[in-house]
Amino acid sequence: MFYFSVRREIETLNDRLAAEGQAIDGAELSKGQLKTKASHSTSQLSQKLKTTYKASTSKIVSSFKTTTSRAVCQLVKEYIGHRDGIWDVSVARTQPVVLGTASADHTALLWSIETGRSLAKYTGHVGSASGDQTAHVWRYAVQLPTPQPAADTSQQLCGEDEVECSDKDEPDADVDASSDCPTIRAPLTSLKSHQGVVIAADWLVGGKQAVTASWDRTANLYDVETSELVHSLTGHDQELTHCCTHPTQRLVVTSSRDTTFRLWDFRDPSIHSVNVFQGHTE
């Protein structure tokens, strides 16, 4: 709304500038007078444009601030165990529901969502997962811990002297939750075809194929059982940033730094169509 208002204002001012320039051209003035008057008009309109733009931009920023201030967020749980930046986070679509993270510390972790404890650590990558240009498939039988009921610590007392509990009795939030979990060091399958960092991966419905997205500007569709490359999805002009599959249909979405995202349709085995969406500017 503000954008179109500013645009109309700019067009109006430009029309005035053109009109004034025409009026000056029709007057019998010397070149010096003409230049001075035109320069003065241009300066005034330029300042008007800046003022209008600044005012409208301020309104836009203010509206963002107002909207943001209404949002109430609260930290529920922290998952502490990685030792470097986290590249990706995912939640299992089937039971048991666990949280998975991939990190620049060369590891991937499975977490219990309720307890915040890590269930398994994968250390098979030789680079920032997956900076070694591969995607790994590995297996672990997850057994979720039984969530303990939260104790009411508001009136909790310690010892016979009824002294309130101190912070020393609370678990240390900085304890590495992954230090005592089982470790998997080798994959069942390694998917190798990319020439750049593998930034994301997802399973196609059925669990027999997986798609990966890479900084090499391609997405690859693999047969997981044979590790064979089924399709290389090309067309993006810059590095891919993510990929995602539909939970019940053979549809894949890829996004890229080229400001587009693409929908790939594999529902018909004989036709592999793609639609390009260009609404974003970054």
Side-chain angles (χ1 to χ4, degrees), residues 121-170:
K121 177 190 289 188
Y122 179 70
T123 61
H125 284 288
V126 296
S128 172
S130 287
D132 57 12
Q133 304 180 3
T134 66
H136 291 181
V137 179
W138 46 282
R139 187 190 304 275
Y140 178 73
V142 173
Q143 183 174 0
L144 296 178
T146 303
Q148 298 298 320
D152 183 5
T153 59
S154 59
Q155 300 295 328
Q156 184 178 359
L157 301 176
C158 295
E160 296 180 355
D161 296 334
E162 296 187 351
V163 179
E164 291 188 5
C165 292
S166 68
D167 292 340
K168 294 182 180 179
D169 298 313
E170 298 297 327

mmCIF file of all heavy atoms in Angstrom, residues 121-170:
data_model
loop_
_atom_site.group_PDB
_atom_site.id
_atom_site.type_symbol
_atom_site.label_atom_id
_atom_site.label_comp_id
_atom_site.label_asym_id
_atom_site.label_seq_id
_atom_site.Cartn_x
_atom_site.Cartn_y
_atom_site.Cartn_z
ATOM 1 N N LYS A 121 24.425 -40.111 17.849
ATOM 2 C CA LYS A 121 25.317 -39.185 17.151
ATOM 3 C C LYS A 121 25.886 -39.885 15.925
ATOM 4 O O LYS A 121 26.351 -41.032 16.011
ATOM 5 C CB LYS A 121 26.463 -38.741 18.063
ATOM 6 C CG LYS A 121 27.472 -37.832 17.367
ATOM 7 C CD LYS A 121 28.723 -37.610 18.233
ATOM 8 C CE LYS A 121 28.399 -36.726 19.411
ATOM 9 N NZ LYS A 121 29.641 -36.352 20.160
ATOM 10 N N TYR A 122 25.850 -39.190 14.777
ATOM 11 C CA TYR A 122 26.448 -39.735 13.561
ATOM 12 C C TYR A 122 27.712 -38.953 13.234
ATOM 13 O O TYR A 122 27.694 -37.723 13.165
ATOM 14 C CB TYR A 122 25.478 -39.653 12.380
ATOM 15 C CG TYR A 122 26.078 -40.200 11.109
ATOM 16 C CD1 TYR A 122 26.300 -41.565 10.966
ATOM 17 C CD2 TYR A 122 26.456 -39.358 10.063
ATOM 18 C CE1 TYR A 122 26.875 -42.077 9.815
ATOM 19 C CE2 TYR A 122 27.022 -39.867 8.912
ATOM 20 C CZ TYR A 122 27.238 -41.228 8.792
ATOM 21 O OH TYR A 122 27.813 -41.728 7.654
ATOM 22 N N THR A 123 28.820 -39.668 13.006
ATOM 23 C CA THR A 123 30.120 -39.021 12.774
ATOM 24 C C THR A 123 30.764 -39.469 11.466
ATOM 25 O O THR A 123 31.979 -39.392 11.307
ATOM 26 C CB THR A 123 31.085 -39.326 13.940
ATOM 27 O OG1 THR A 123 31.296 -40.752 14.025
ATOM 28 C CG2 THR A 123 30.524 -38.824 15.271
ATOM 29 N N GLY A 124 29.959 -39.920 10.504
ATOM 30 C CA GLY A 124 30.508 -40.488 9.271
ATOM 31 C C GLY A 124 30.990 -39.483 8.242
ATOM 32 O O GLY A 124 31.747 -39.842 7.338
ATOM 33 N N HIS A 125 30.588 -38.226 8.357
ATOM 34 C CA HIS A 125 31.023 -37.220 7.386
ATOM 35 C C HIS A 125 32.443 -36.740 7.707
ATOM 36 O O HIS A 125 32.839 -36.647 8.867
ATOM 37 C CB HIS A 125 30.081 -36.022 7.385
ATOM 38 C CG HIS A 125 28.780 -36.282 6.682
ATOM 39 N ND1 HIS A 125 28.680 -36.407 5.316
ATOM 40 C CD2 HIS A 125 27.522 -36.454 7.172
ATOM 41 C CE1 HIS A 125 27.414 -36.632 4.978
ATOM 42 N NE2 HIS A 125 26.692 -36.665 6.087
ATOM 43 N N VAL A 126 33.182 -36.407 6.643
ATOM 44 C CA VAL A 126 34.546 -35.910 6.828
ATOM 45 C C VAL A 126 34.610 -34.404 6.654
ATOM 46 O O VAL A 126 35.682 -33.813 6.672
ATOM 47 C CB VAL A 126 35.520 -36.595 5.840
ATOM 48 C CG1 VAL A 126 35.600 -38.081 6.132
ATOM 49 C CG2 VAL A 126 35.084 -36.360 4.392
ATOM 50 N N GLY A 127 33.456 -33.777 6.467
ATOM 51 C CA GLY A 127 33.393 -32.321 6.355
ATOM 52 C C GLY A 127 32.169 -31.814 7.065
ATOM 53 O O GLY A 127 31.359 -32.592 7.582
ATOM 54 N N SER A 128 32.040 -30.503 7.103
ATOM 55 C CA SER A 128 30.854 -29.894 7.685
ATOM 56 C C SER A 128 29.635 -30.497 7.010
ATOM 57 O O SER A 128 29.476 -30.403 5.803
ATOM 58 C CB SER A 128 30.898 -28.377 7.464
ATOM 59 O OG SER A 128 29.701 -27.772 7.855
ATOM 60 N N ALA A 129 28.789 -31.147 7.794
ATOM 61 C CA ALA A 129 27.691 -31.921 7.202
ATOM 62 C C ALA A 129 26.769 -31.026 6.395
ATOM 63 O O ALA A 129 26.130 -30.164 6.947
ATOM 64 C CB ALA A 129 26.908 -32.602 8.320
ATOM 65 N N SER A 130 26.713 -31.207 5.076
ATOM 66 C CA SER A 130 27.493 -32.186 4.312
ATOM 67 C C SER A 130 28.477 -31.471 3.381
ATOM 68 O O SER A 130 28.343 -31.483 2.172
ATOM 69 C CB SER A 130 26.567 -33.048 3.478
ATOM 70 O OG SER A 130 25.839 -33.958 4.239
ATOM 71 N N GLY A 131 29.482 -30.866 3.978
ATOM 72 C CA GLY A 131 30.481 -30.165 3.195
ATOM 73 C C GLY A 131 31.381 -31.087 2.404
ATOM 74 O O GLY A 131 32.166 -30.637 1.571
ATOM 75 N N ASP A 132 31.290 -32.400 2.665
ATOM 76 C CA ASP A 132 32.096 -33.358 1.900
ATOM 77 C C ASP A 132 31.405 -33.759 0.601
ATOM 78 O O ASP A 132 31.822 -34.726 -0.036
ATOM 79 C CB ASP A 132 32.416 -34.582 2.751
ATOM 80 C CG ASP A 132 31.160 -35.282 3.282
ATOM 81 O OD1 ASP A 132 30.050 -34.961 2.802
ATOM 82 O OD2 ASP A 132 31.282 -36.146 4.157
ATOM 83 N N GLN A 133 30.326 -33.044 0.231
ATOM 84 C CA GLN A 133 29.632 -33.201 -1.055
ATOM 85 C C GLN A 133 28.864 -34.513 -1.175
ATOM 86 O O GLN A 133 28.505 -34.941 -2.269
ATOM 87 C CB GLN A 133 30.629 -33.068 -2.220
ATOM 88 C CG GLN A 133 31.395 -31.760 -2.199
ATOM 89 C CD GLN A 133 32.385 -31.628 -3.340
ATOM 90 O OE1 GLN A 133 32.467 -32.507 -4.209
ATOM 91 N NE2 GLN A 133 33.133 -30.541 -3.358
ATOM 92 N N THR A 134 28.591 -35.157 -0.046
ATOM 93 C CA THR A 134 27.840 -36.409 -0.067
ATOM 94 C C THR A 134 26.638 -36.324 0.868
ATOM 95 O O THR A 134 26.587 -35.484 1.769
ATOM 96 C CB THR A 134 28.719 -37.605 0.380
ATOM 97 O OG1 THR A 134 29.066 -37.436 1.766
ATOM 98 C CG2 THR A 134 29.979 -37.690 -0.457
ATOM 99 N N ALA A 135 25.683 -37.206 0.633
ATOM 100 C CA ALA A 135 24.568 -37.405 1.557
ATOM 101 C C ALA A 135 24.652 -38.838 2.068
ATOM 102 O O ALA A 135 24.875 -39.770 1.292
ATOM 103 C CB ALA A 135 23.233 -37.156 0.859
ATOM 104 N N HIS A 136 24.507 -39.042 3.375
ATOM 105 C CA HIS A 136 24.633 -40.359 3.978
ATOM 106 C C HIS A 136 23.292 -40.830 4.521
ATOM 107 O O HIS A 136 22.527 -40.047 5.115
ATOM 108 C CB HIS A 136 25.644 -40.337 5.128
ATOM 109 C CG HIS A 136 27.054 -40.146 4.682
ATOM 110 N ND1 HIS A 136 28.131 -40.120 5.561
ATOM 111 C CD2 HIS A 136 27.593 -39.981 3.447
ATOM 112 C CE1 HIS A 136 29.251 -39.930 4.885
ATOM 113 N NE2 HIS A 136 28.949 -39.847 3.597
ATOM 114 N N VAL A 137 23.018 -42.113 4.306
ATOM 115 C CA VAL A 137 21.852 -42.758 4.893
ATOM 116 C C VAL A 137 22.359 -43.710 5.962
ATOM 117 O O VAL A 137 23.196 -44.574 5.691
ATOM 118 C CB VAL A 137 21.044 -43.534 3.829
ATOM 119 C CG1 VAL A 137 19.849 -44.223 4.480
ATOM 120 C CG2 VAL A 137 20.582 -42.593 2.722
ATOM 121 N N TRP A 138 21.861 -43.532 7.180
ATOM 122 C CA TRP A 138 22.275 -44.406 8.281
ATOM 123 C C TRP A 138 21.063 -44.786 9.111
ATOM 124 O O TRP A 138 20.018 -44.159 9.042
ATOM 125 C CB TRP A 138 23.345 -43.756 9.145
ATOM 126 C CG TRP A 138 23.115 -42.322 9.540
ATOM 127 C CD1 TRP A 138 23.315 -41.213 8.768
ATOM 128 C CD2 TRP A 138 22.640 -41.841 10.797
ATOM 129 N NE1 TRP A 138 22.997 -40.075 9.465
ATOM 130 C CE2 TRP A 138 22.594 -40.428 10.729
ATOM 131 C CE3 TRP A 138 22.266 -42.455 11.991
ATOM 132 C CZ2 TRP A 138 22.166 -39.641 11.781
ATOM 133 C CZ3 TRP A 138 21.857 -41.668 13.060
ATOM 134 C CH2 TRP A 138 21.811 -40.281 12.948
ATOM 135 N N ARG A 139 21.208 -45.849 9.886
ATOM 136 C CA ARG A 139 20.065 -46.419 10.606
ATOM 137 C C ARG A 139 20.381 -46.515 12.100
ATOM 138 O O ARG A 139 21.501 -46.846 12.501
ATOM 139 C CB ARG A 139 19.731 -47.804 10.059
ATOM 140 C CG ARG A 139 18.444 -48.402 10.646
ATOM 141 C CD ARG A 139 18.319 -49.863 10.236
ATOM 142 N NE ARG A 139 18.369 -50.049 8.793
ATOM 143 C CZ ARG A 139 17.322 -49.934 7.988
ATOM 144 N NH1 ARG A 139 16.139 -49.639 8.487
ATOM 145 N NH2 ARG A 139 17.457 -50.134 6.700
ATOM 146 N N TYR A 140 19.362 -46.209 12.893
ATOM 147 C CA TYR A 140 19.496 -46.370 14.335
ATOM 148 C C TYR A 140 18.122 -46.666 14.923
ATOM 149 O O TYR A 140 17.146 -45.999 14.593
ATOM 150 C CB TYR A 140 20.069 -45.109 14.989
ATOM 151 C CG TYR A 140 20.179 -45.213 16.495
ATOM 152 C CD1 TYR A 140 21.150 -46.013 17.082
ATOM 153 C CD2 TYR A 140 19.292 -44.534 17.314
ATOM 154 C CE1 TYR A 140 21.245 -46.132 18.456
ATOM 155 C CE2 TYR A 140 19.376 -44.634 18.693
ATOM 156 C CZ TYR A 140 20.352 -45.441 19.265
ATOM 157 O OH TYR A 140 20.446 -45.554 20.635
ATOM 158 N N ALA A 141 18.039 -47.691 15.763
ATOM 159 C CA ALA A 141 16.775 -48.060 16.400
ATOM 160 C C ALA A 141 16.542 -47.146 17.601
ATOM 161 O O ALA A 141 17.203 -47.259 18.631
ATOM 162 C CB ALA A 141 16.803 -49.521 16.840
ATOM 163 N N VAL A 142 15.613 -46.219 17.451
ATOM 164 C CA VAL A 142 15.373 -45.217 18.486
ATOM 165 C C VAL A 142 14.452 -45.764 19.570
ATOM 166 O O VAL A 142 13.402 -46.336 19.286
ATOM 167 C CB VAL A 142 14.740 -43.947 17.874
ATOM 168 C CG1 VAL A 142 14.335 -42.965 18.962
ATOM 169 C CG2 VAL A 142 15.721 -43.297 16.912
ATOM 170 N N GLN A 143 14.876 -45.591 20.795
ATOM 171 C CA GLN A 143 14.025 -45.907 21.941
ATOM 172 C C GLN A 143 13.933 -44.647 22.794
ATOM 173 O O GLN A 143 14.898 -44.231 23.434
ATOM 174 C CB GLN A 143 14.603 -47.058 22.759
ATOM 175 C CG GLN A 143 13.696 -47.462 23.922
ATOM 176 C CD GLN A 143 14.204 -48.699 24.638
ATOM 177 O OE1 GLN A 143 15.232 -49.267 24.263
ATOM 178 N NE2 GLN A 143 13.489 -49.130 25.666
ATOM 179 N N LEU A 144 12.758 -44.027 22.764
ATOM 180 C CA LEU A 144 12.597 -42.760 23.460
ATOM 181 C C LEU A 144 12.544 -42.964 24.965
ATOM 182 O O LEU A 144 11.904 -43.902 25.456
ATOM 183 C CB LEU A 144 11.314 -42.063 22.996
ATOM 184 C CG LEU A 144 11.261 -41.632 21.531
ATOM 185 C CD1 LEU A 144 9.919 -41.007 21.211
ATOM 186 C CD2 LEU A 144 12.364 -40.641 21.236
ATOM 187 N N PRO A 145 13.202 -42.086 25.704
ATOM 188 C CA PRO A 145 13.118 -42.165 27.167
ATOM 189 C C PRO A 145 11.737 -41.755 27.642
ATOM 190 O O PRO A 145 11.024 -41.006 26.976
ATOM 191 C CB PRO A 145 14.187 -41.161 27.634
ATOM 192 C CG PRO A 145 14.311 -40.193 26.494
ATOM 193 C CD PRO A 145 14.071 -40.991 25.249
ATOM 194 N N THR A 146 11.351 -42.274 28.801
ATOM 195 C CA THR A 146 10.054 -41.918 29.364
ATOM 196 C C THR A 146 10.126 -40.528 29.969
ATOM 197 O O THR A 146 10.958 -40.274 30.848
ATOM 198 C CB THR A 146 9.642 -42.913 30.454
ATOM 199 O OG1 THR A 146 9.633 -44.234 29.898
ATOM 200 C CG2 THR A 146 8.270 -42.565 31.012
ATOM 201 N N PRO A 147 9.293 -39.604 29.488
ATOM 202 C CA PRO A 147 9.340 -38.249 30.044
ATOM 203 C C PRO A 147 8.975 -38.252 31.515
ATOM 204 O O PRO A 147 8.026 -38.912 31.932
ATOM 205 C CB PRO A 147 8.291 -37.485 29.213
ATOM 206 C CG PRO A 147 8.066 -38.329 27.997
ATOM 207 C CD PRO A 147 8.301 -39.739 28.419
ATOM 208 N N GLN A 148 9.761 -37.535 32.313
ATOM 209 C CA GLN A 148 9.492 -37.429 33.732
ATOM 210 C C GLN A 148 8.556 -36.255 33.987
ATOM 211 O O GLN A 148 8.710 -35.198 33.384
ATOM 212 C CB GLN A 148 10.803 -37.227 34.503
ATOM 213 C CG GLN A 148 11.779 -38.389 34.361
ATOM 214 C CD GLN A 148 11.217 -39.681 34.922
ATOM 215 O OE1 GLN A 148 10.560 -39.676 35.963
ATOM 216 N NE2 GLN A 148 11.463 -40.782 34.226
ATOM 217 N N PRO A 149 7.572 -36.428 34.881
ATOM 218 C CA PRO A 149 6.674 -35.302 35.176
ATOM 219 C C PRO A 149 7.443 -34.140 35.764
ATOM 220 O O PRO A 149 8.356 -34.327 36.575
ATOM 221 C CB PRO A 149 5.687 -35.898 36.188
ATOM 222 C CG PRO A 149 6.398 -37.082 36.778
ATOM 223 C CD PRO A 149 7.267 -37.621 35.677
ATOM 224 N N ALA A 150 7.088 -32.949 35.316
ATOM 225 C CA ALA A 150 7.774 -31.755 35.791
ATOM 226 C C ALA A 150 7.410 -31.496 37.247
ATOM 227 O O ALA A 150 6.242 -31.457 37.618
ATOM 228 C CB ALA A 150 7.387 -30.555 34.934
ATOM 229 N N ALA A 151 8.444 -31.348 38.089
ATOM 230 C CA ALA A 151 8.220 -31.095 39.512
ATOM 231 C C ALA A 151 7.874 -29.632 39.733
ATOM 232 O O ALA A 151 8.394 -28.746 39.058
ATOM 233 C CB ALA A 151 9.473 -31.469 40.306
ATOM 234 N N ASP A 152 6.986 -29.395 40.683
ATOM 235 C CA ASP A 152 6.613 -28.032 41.039
ATOM 236 C C ASP A 152 7.663 -27.485 41.991
ATOM 237 O O ASP A 152 7.707 -27.845 43.171
ATOM 238 C CB ASP A 152 5.231 -28.016 41.692
ATOM 239 C CG ASP A 152 4.770 -26.594 42.013
ATOM 240 O OD1 ASP A 152 5.492 -25.650 41.629
ATOM 241 O OD2 ASP A 152 3.713 -26.449 42.655
ATOM 242 N N THR A 153 8.544 -26.658 41.474
ATOM 243 C CA THR A 153 9.647 -26.139 42.276
ATOM 244 C C THR A 153 9.322 -24.810 42.931
ATOM 245 O O THR A 153 10.153 -24.231 43.611
ATOM 246 C CB THR A 153 10.898 -25.943 41.392
ATOM 247 O OG1 THR A 153 10.567 -25.031 40.327
ATOM 248 C CG2 THR A 153 11.344 -27.267 40.808
ATOM 249 N N SER A 154 8.081 -24.346 42.740
ATOM 250 C CA SER A 154 7.743 -23.033 43.288
ATOM 251 C C SER A 154 7.747 -23.040 44.813
ATOM 252 O O SER A 154 8.074 -22.048 45.451
ATOM 253 C CB SER A 154 6.378 -22.583 42.762
ATOM 254 O OG SER A 154 5.375 -23.517 43.131
ATOM 255 N N GLN A 155 7.364 -24.200 45.408
ATOM 256 C CA GLN A 155 7.329 -24.283 46.861
ATOM 257 C C GLN A 155 8.272 -25.372 47.374
ATOM 258 O O GLN A 155 8.146 -25.833 48.497
ATOM 259 C CB GLN A 155 5.896 -24.587 47.331
ATOM 260 C CG GLN A 155 4.877 -23.539 46.929
ATOM 261 C CD GLN A 155 5.142 -22.218 47.599
ATOM 262 O OE1 GLN A 155 5.634 -22.176 48.734
ATOM 263 N NE2 GLN A 155 4.826 -21.129 46.919
ATOM 264 N N GLN A 156 9.204 -25.816 46.510
ATOM 265 C CA GLN A 156 10.083 -26.913 46.888
ATOM 266 C C GLN A 156 11.046 -26.469 47.970
ATOM 267 O O GLN A 156 11.629 -25.393 47.919
ATOM 268 C CB GLN A 156 10.860 -27.417 45.663
ATOM 269 C CG GLN A 156 11.736 -28.627 45.971
ATOM 270 C CD GLN A 156 12.445 -29.111 44.725
ATOM 271 O OE1 GLN A 156 12.250 -28.546 43.664
ATOM 272 N NE2 GLN A 156 13.268 -30.134 44.875
ATOM 273 N N LEU A 157 11.229 -27.342 48.971
ATOM 274 C CA LEU A 157 12.127 -27.051 50.074
ATOM 275 C C LEU A 157 13.196 -28.111 50.135
ATOM 276 O O LEU A 157 12.987 -29.267 49.779
ATOM 277 C CB LEU A 157 11.351 -27.000 51.404
ATOM 278 C CG LEU A 157 10.216 -25.959 51.473
ATOM 279 C CD1 LEU A 157 9.482 -26.089 52.799
ATOM 280 C CD2 LEU A 157 10.776 -24.557 51.317
ATOM 281 N N CYS A 158 14.383 -27.764 50.645
ATOM 282 C CA CYS A 158 15.498 -28.690 50.720
ATOM 283 C C CYS A 158 15.942 -28.844 52.166
ATOM 284 O O CYS A 158 16.192 -27.845 52.851
ATOM 285 C CB CYS A 158 16.675 -28.198 49.878
ATOM 286 S SG CYS A 158 16.310 -28.158 48.123
ATOM 287 N N GLY A 159 16.059 -30.096 52.622
ATOM 288 C CA GLY A 159 16.614 -30.343 53.942
ATOM 289 C C GLY A 159 15.627 -30.091 55.069
ATOM 290 O O GLY A 159 14.526 -29.597 54.878
ATOM 291 N N GLU A 160 16.052 -30.461 56.232
ATOM 292 C CA GLU A 160 15.179 -30.340 57.393
ATOM 293 C C GLU A 160 14.979 -28.897 57.824
ATOM 294 O O GLU A 160 14.022 -28.565 58.508
ATOM 295 C CB GLU A 160 15.771 -31.144 58.559
ATOM 296 C CG GLU A 160 15.838 -32.636 58.277
ATOM 297 C CD GLU A 160 16.429 -33.405 59.428
ATOM 298 O OE1 GLU A 160 16.875 -32.751 60.403
ATOM 299 O OE2 GLU A 160 16.441 -34.640 59.352
ATOM 300 N N ASP A 161 15.892 -28.022 57.445
ATOM 301 C CA ASP A 161 15.789 -26.627 57.842
ATOM 302 C C ASP A 161 14.867 -25.836 56.942
ATOM 303 O O ASP A 161 14.711 -24.633 57.117
ATOM 304 C CB ASP A 161 17.183 -25.972 57.841
ATOM 305 C CG ASP A 161 18.084 -26.618 58.875
ATOM 306 O OD1 ASP A 161 17.552 -27.153 59.866
ATOM 307 O OD2 ASP A 161 19.309 -26.588 58.656
ATOM 308 N N GLU A 162 14.241 -26.508 55.929
ATOM 309 C CA GLU A 162 13.296 -25.873 55.034
ATOM 310 C C GLU A 162 13.894 -24.635 54.366
ATOM 311 O O GLU A 162 13.293 -23.566 54.311
ATOM 312 C CB GLU A 162 12.003 -25.490 55.774
ATOM 313 C CG GLU A 162 11.261 -26.696 56.298
ATOM 314 C CD GLU A 162 9.916 -26.318 56.870
ATOM 315 O OE1 GLU A 162 9.669 -25.097 57.007
ATOM 316 O OE2 GLU A 162 9.117 -27.206 57.175
ATOM 317 N N VAL A 163 15.127 -24.821 53.843
ATOM 318 C CA VAL A 163 15.791 -23.766 53.104
ATOM 319 C C VAL A 163 15.456 -23.939 51.636
ATOM 320 O O VAL A 163 15.504 -25.054 51.114
ATOM 321 C CB VAL A 163 17.323 -23.824 53.314
ATOM 322 C CG1 VAL A 163 18.002 -22.733 52.525
ATOM 323 C CG2 VAL A 163 17.640 -23.706 54.795
ATOM 324 N N GLU A 164 15.112 -22.864 50.971
ATOM 325 C CA GLU A 164 14.752 -22.955 49.566
ATOM 326 C C GLU A 164 15.927 -23.429 48.734
ATOM 327 O O GLU A 164 17.082 -23.085 49.007
ATOM 328 C CB GLU A 164 14.281 -21.581 49.065
ATOM 329 C CG GLU A 164 12.953 -21.163 49.660
ATOM 330 C CD GLU A 164 12.430 -19.912 49.016
ATOM 331 O OE1 GLU A 164 13.063 -19.448 48.042
ATOM 332 O OE2 GLU A 164 11.379 -19.398 49.457
ATOM 333 N N CYS A 165 15.629 -24.225 47.691
ATOM 334 C CA CYS A 165 16.681 -24.777 46.836
ATOM 335 C C CYS A 165 17.380 -23.654 46.108
ATOM 336 O O CYS A 165 16.758 -22.694 45.658
ATOM 337 C CB CYS A 165 16.086 -25.749 45.818
ATOM 338 S SG CYS A 165 15.452 -27.255 46.574
ATOM 339 N N SER A 166 18.689 -23.781 45.918
ATOM 340 C CA SER A 166 19.470 -22.786 45.192
ATOM 341 C C SER A 166 19.670 -23.235 43.767
ATOM 342 O O SER A 166 19.316 -24.349 43.386
ATOM 343 C CB SER A 166 20.831 -22.598 45.874
ATOM 344 O OG SER A 166 21.606 -23.767 45.725
ATOM 345 N N ASP A 167 20.289 -22.363 42.965
ATOM 346 C CA ASP A 167 20.566 -22.687 41.565
ATOM 347 C C ASP A 167 21.516 -23.864 41.441
ATOM 348 O O ASP A 167 21.579 -24.507 40.400
ATOM 349 C CB ASP A 167 21.156 -21.462 40.852
ATOM 350 C CG ASP A 167 20.132 -20.354 40.724
ATOM 351 O OD1 ASP A 167 18.926 -20.668 40.829
ATOM 352 O OD2 ASP A 167 20.536 -19.180 40.524
ATOM 353 N N LYS A 168 22.283 -24.158 42.479
ATOM 354 C CA LYS A 168 23.245 -25.259 42.404
ATOM 355 C C LYS A 168 22.546 -26.605 42.273
ATOM 356 O O LYS A 168 23.142 -27.579 41.850
ATOM 357 C CB LYS A 168 24.129 -25.256 43.652
ATOM 358 C CG LYS A 168 25.023 -24.032 43.738
ATOM 359 C CD LYS A 168 25.915 -24.094 44.966
ATOM 360 C CE LYS A 168 26.811 -22.861 45.063
ATOM 361 N NZ LYS A 168 27.676 -22.889 46.258
ATOM 362 N N ASP A 169 21.274 -26.667 42.687
ATOM 363 C CA ASP A 169 20.547 -27.921 42.606
ATOM 364 C C ASP A 169 19.953 -28.167 41.229
ATOM 365 O O ASP A 169 19.445 -29.242 40.948
ATOM 366 C CB ASP A 169 19.411 -27.941 43.632
ATOM 367 C CG ASP A 169 19.951 -27.844 45.054
ATOM 368 O OD1 ASP A 169 20.898 -28.577 45.350
ATOM 369 O OD2 ASP A 169 19.429 -27.015 45.832
ATOM 370 N N GLU A 170 19.957 -27.141 40.372
ATOM 371 C CA GLU A 170 19.413 -27.275 39.033
ATOM 372 C C GLU A 170 20.435 -27.916 38.114
ATOM 373 O O GLU A 170 21.642 -27.727 38.275
ATOM 374 C CB GLU A 170 19.022 -25.895 38.483
ATOM 375 C CG GLU A 170 17.944 -25.204 39.286
ATOM 376 C CD GLU A 170 16.633 -25.966 39.265
ATOM 377 O OE1 GLU A 170 16.345 -26.598 38.226
ATOM 378 O OE2 GLU A 170 15.909 -25.953 40.277
#
